[in-house]
Amino acid sequence: MQPVIGIDFGTTNSVVTAQAADGSVRVLRHATEDVFRSVLCFWNGADGRTTHAAGPAAIEAYLDDPLEARLIMSMKSYLAQRSFQETRILGQSWALEPLVAVFLRALLAPFRDDLAGARVVVGRPVRFVGESADDALGEQRLRRAFALAGMEQVQVALEPAAAGQRFAQALDRPATVLVADFGGGTSDFSLLRFDPGPPRRVTALGHAGVGVAGDAFDFRIIDRVVSPLLGKGGTYRVTGTELPIPPAWYGSFARWHLLSLMRAPRIMRDIEAVARTAEHPEQLHRLVRLVKDEAGYALYRAVSTAKADLSRAEAATLRFRHADFEVAAEITRADFEGWIAPELAQMRAAVDAALADAALPAEAVDRVFLTGGSSLVPAVRRIFTDRFGEDRVVAGGEFVSVAEGLALMAA
């Protein structure tokens, strides 16, 4: 039997799995952890040459010297964006596909023996991130990145369908299953018909997706709690006229994949110019310092912690400190659910779209399988329990189910 490798290149985390000769699937583990963060860090070494690290090593390198390092996050969020042509990292121009390939080579480096002669199955979302996302371009760039990383021939499969394959291993009778896969950047839904056989058969009935997920929830927390402390909603004066501080700065500041772009000298100069006549200039000075000091990752961790705490309790405290800027704000679950109401509505609409694509009523769904980090958010789970009933909804494999399913799909 030809060996099979499943690769889930995610917005936030990436996972690699391998299918054994007996059909079982195992996660290929790095020395540090099962889940490999989808980040890169670049810095100039002692000899002046640019070097890099990926995953946990990238985070460690960044935390060692955040002022001199460049942290690259959420690369997957750019795949379907035609507007993204290149970025400059420490004076060097990088197109997106080579940048992703650098990450993939590091992700897969310990598993060369497993990859030798293997069939590789790679996941992609039903809908890529972005209001003007080009899904065909997203897949094309994904394939190109894998080719640059040394894998010319890969099979591309939908991520929720892969998660469904993993869930189907526990089914002992025919069933129609709605699979909801929540990543960092996308939420994807697939309706699949499983027949355990023999032979075992899987039929895709319908799909839908939306480019919002966990990162969008983080955006709401930053936008409501942190950005107002950094000047959002404030004013400045131009020739005696009071004007609002440009809100676009805060849209970028609260989105991880756009934050690093704010370091552009022009943007920094614009913020500093506005600060000179702002009502609260110290707030804008703190915004500039957070961006220049590359404090985004520390803020990301603090927000993620508060979000996770809200999944377990009715209230949580967001704690963050950098230089003279400090946040210690209590957030209630009710407030958080109100902030993310637009994203929840988009998810509900995508579930409706998946049912419509399959030409099925909700009553025809036997089981609902939720996976991915945002499936732990109570308001997200209620989308499905309210629609399908608590007894039909199960969850699991939040970080590995897609990768495990990708390895199973080759069969």
Side-chain angles (χ1 to χ4, degrees):
M1 176 180 172
Q2 183 183 16
V4 179
I5 298 293
I7 303 174
D8 177 16
F9 167 54
T11 302
T12 307
N13 305 305
S14 294
V15 184
V16 185
T17 58
Q19 186 182 50
D22 63 359
S24 62
V25 174
R26 62 189 174 94
V27 176
L28 299 183
R29 293 176 168 82
H30 282 257
T32 51
E33 55 187 65
D34 293 357
V35 178
F36 197 80
R37 297 300 296 272
S38 301
V39 297
L40 286 170
C41 183
F42 291 83
W43 69 96
N44 288 325
D47 59 359
R49 293 186 178 183
T50 299
T51 188
H52 66 268
I59 295 168
E60 183 178 340
Y62 168 74
L63 293 176
D64 281 346
D65 193 1
L67 295 180
E68 299 300 325
R70 175 77 183 275
L71 190 69
I72 307 297
M73 302 169 65
S74 302
M75 290 173 282
K76 188 177 180 180
S77 295
Y78 291 107
L79 285 173
Q81 303 299 314
R82 288 194 175 276
S83 60
F84 186 97
Q85 297 298 320
E86 66 175 24
T87 187
R88 295 193 68 79
I89 301 173
L90 302 180
Q92 182 179 353
S93 178
W94 284 84
L96 182 59
E97 296 95 319
L99 201 59
V100 174
V102 167
F103 171 78
L104 292 174
R105 282 194 288 269
L107 171 69
L108 300 170
F111 315 129
R112 291 190 182 121
D113 292 344
D114 298 277
L115 283 163
R119 181 177 176 183
V120 178
V121 186
V122 176
R124 58 150 284 186
V126 176
R127 297 286 180 266
F128 282 86
V129 175
E131 293 181 3
S132 57
D134 183 330
D135 293 323
L137 174 66
E139 181 171 326
Q140 176 186 329
R141 280 176 161 174
L142 185 66
R143 289 181 180 274
R144 173 66 175 157
F146 272 92
L148 291 173
M151 287 159 284
E152 294 283 348
Q153 299 296 325
V154 297
Q155 176 185 341
V156 178
L158 294 179
E159 290 161 357
Q165 288 276 0
R166 190 259 197 191
F167 173 69
Q169 299 302 296
L171 296 177
D172 58 4
R173 65 189 67 186
T176 298
V177 180
L178 169 62
V179 180
D181 172 36
F182 300 96
T186 60
S187 299
D188 295 308
F189 310 95
S190 286
L191 279 151
L192 307 167
R193 182 67 183 176
F194 292 98
D195 185 343
R200 185 169 171 274
R201 294 186 299 274
V202 181
T203 305
L205 305 176
H207 306 284
V210 62
V212 296
D215 285 356
F217 295 168
D218 296 338
F219 167 84
R220 295 296 180 186
I221 294 175
I222 296 175
D223 190 57
R224 293 298 188 115
V225 179
V226 181
S227 292
L229 303 176
L230 299 171
K232 180 177 183 279
T235 60
Y236 72 109
R237 302 187 72 82
V238 176
T239 62
T241 302
E242 193 171 81
L243 298 173
I245 291 174
W249 294 338
Y250 302 95
S252 296
F253 178 76
R255 290 181 170 89
W256 310 122
H257 65 289
L258 298 179
L259 178 58
S260 62
L261 302 182
M262 288 188 70
R263 294 186 77 190
R266 178 183 60 80
I267 295 176
M268 292 290 94
R269 286 196 301 269
D270 288 347
I271 297 174
E272 288 166 344
V274 167
R276 285 194 284 272
T277 60
E279 181 182 9
H280 296 289
E282 75 284 355
Q283 295 180 338
L284 289 168
H285 293 319
R286 287 168 183 151
L287 173 63
V288 168
R289 183 163 189 171
L290 287 171
V291 175
K292 284 186 173 180
D293 288 0
E294 290 268 17
Y297 182 71
L299 180 60
Y300 169 89
R301 287 194 303 175
V303 170
S304 294
T305 297
K307 183 176 66 175
D309 290 344
L310 286 169
S311 292
R312 297 185 291 264
E314 293 296 326
T317 301
L318 171 60
R319 299 186 185 278
F320 174 75
R321 184 170 186 172
H322 179 76
D324 64 342
F325 179 63
E326 184 173 4
V327 180
E330 183 176 276
I331 304 169
T332 67
R333 183 185 290 177
D335 283 343
F336 174 60
E337 292 181 353
W339 300 341
I340 66 174
E343 286 73 30
L344 297 175
Q346 290 182 69
M347 291 175 182
R348 289 190 199 94
V351 172
D352 291 340
L355 289 166
D357 190 44
L360 287 176
E363 295 74 24
V365 176
D366 299 306
R367 304 293 296 276
V368 177
F369 176 54
L370 310 181
T371 192
S374 293
S375 66
L376 300 172
V377 175
V380 171
R381 184 180 176 89
R382 282 201 303 273
I383 294 173
F384 301 91
T385 56
D386 290 350
R387 186 75 178 273
F388 301 97
E390 187 74 47
D391 59 330
R392 282 193 276 173
V393 179
V394 296
E398 284 77 17
F399 299 108
V400 299
S401 62
V402 169
E404 291 177 345
L406 289 168
L408 290 167
M409 289 186 85

